[in-house]
């Protein structure tokens, strides 16, 4: 599960003393993913989410389909626990 903890700090691996906004690191990671795989629907969606990109009106059908297919394996387990 994805959670938010306001006490969590993000740092660069090469400079762990300097705090960096977590959204900046996430933006960089999703941009890098798209550089190597421009058709990565998950990275496109997450980048738009992290950057609040208003040009993306909704998640793509491909992304939604994959999201539900990936979750299907755990659906019953999540109901029980």
């Amino acid at each position: 599960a994805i959670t938010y903890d306001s006490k969590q700090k993000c740092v660069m691996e090469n400079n762990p003393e300097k705090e960096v906004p977590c959204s900046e690191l996430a933006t960089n990671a999703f941009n890098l993913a798209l550089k190597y795989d421009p058709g990565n629907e998950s990275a496109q969606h997450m980048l738009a989410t992290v950057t609040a990109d208003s040009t993306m009106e909704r998640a793509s059908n491909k992304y939604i389909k994959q999201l539900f297919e990936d979750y299907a394996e755990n659906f019953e387990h999540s109901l029980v626990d």
Side-chain angles (χ1 to χ4, degrees):
I2 296 174
T3 59
Y4 173 74
D5 181 357
S6 62
K7 296 175 190 159
Q8 181 178 347
K9 306 298 180 198
C10 293
V11 296
M12 298 295 290
E13 186 176 29
N14 61 351
N15 188 359
E17 299 301 316
K18 182 182 177 192
E19 288 185 30
V20 179
C22 295
S23 60
E24 185 177 313
L25 291 179
T27 298
N28 186 52
F30 293 126
N31 275 319
L32 187 60
L34 289 169
K35 175 182 175 182
Y36 290 103
D37 182 8
N40 186 325
E41 297 278 336
S42 293
Q44 290 172 2
H45 175 74
M46 295 308 293
L47 179 61
T49 301
V50 169
T51 60
D53 181 357
S54 62
T55 62
M56 181 178 267
E57 294 181 14
R58 61 184 282 292
S60 71
N61 289 341
K62 184 177 178 181
Y63 172 80
I64 296 296
K65 181 178 179 185
Q66 190 62 52
L67 181 69
F68 276 86
E69 286 178 2
D70 291 346
Y71 186 68
E73 296 177 20
N74 300 314
F75 180 70
E76 187 173 338
H77 178 71
S78 68
L79 293 175
V80 175
D81 291 334

